[in-house]
Amino acid sequence: AQSVTQLDSHVSVSEGTPVLLRCNYSSSYSPSLFWYVQHPNKGLQLLLKYTSAATLVKGINGFEAEFKKSETSFHLTKPSAHMSDAAEYFCVVRRGGYNKLIFGAGTRLAVHP
Amino acid sequence: DARVTQTPRDKVTEMGQEVTMRCQPILGHNTVFWYRQTMMQGLELLAYFRNRAPLDDSGMPKDRFSAEMPDATLATLKIQPSEPRDSAVYFCASGLVTGTGNTGELFFGEGSRLTVL
């Protein structure tokens, strides 16, 4: 069955420095993968999605992710962190054809001045 | 601006009481999901519906939880009787599945924070 593993529970960066949030997936076929973001006391919002088109996916707020089949990875990156990026980020895989999303454990991103 | 609406946003209740959480999905969406979020377990899928029919509720404790969609504009999640271990944030999400496939995107409400004393 499809699953995702987020390799870091917490990541801390300085404002203006690059962000890397790591995610590995497990799937017997080409998966649909997503990154969602959750700001404090808010619901989740879609950042970007990969559905077997381009392997480099651009999302909102300057985030992007690259699907690497050889490494079974879907890491999320941003060239320059902003204070407003502080949030929890979830790597997600879709299981089946009914939008059934399986969430990773989450990575909490802290951004320091 | 279309959004998923959940009520109540916060609920404090005593053990043994019935709790009902409500969700209004985005108009036109045909799938609805209930997730529960806790520090220990993260985000867990409790139940999901397509065209108001329950497709999977295997993640839900059957003895005390029930989920329904009385109509296309309302989904409910009920806990009876509630227990302290049910304390969590419950999220509703909706999405659109079409005959040609689906985007996989879900739109989440802001959640209902439940505290059972």
Side-chain angles (χ1 to χ4, degrees), chain B residues 10-32:
Chain B
D10 281 283
K11 175 73 175 179
V12 180
T13 192
E14 293 188 348
M15 182 174 61
Q17 296 298 306
E18 177 179 301
V19 175
T20 299
M21 289 166 277
R22 294 176 173 80
C23 168
Q24 181 176 351
I26 291 174
L27 189 64
H29 282 182
N30 58 0
T31 58
V32 172

Side-chain angles (χ1 to χ4, degrees), chain A residues 32-58:
Chain A
S32 292
L33 295 163
F34 310 82
W35 277 97
Y36 277 76
V37 61
Q38 183 180 26
H39 287 92
N41 299 315
K42 296 292 186 182
L44 289 88
Q45 180 185 18
L46 180 68
L47 269 181
L48 50 81
K49 61 185 178 184
Y50 167 77
T51 54
S52 76
T55 56
L56 182 62
V57 182
K58 294 188 182 299

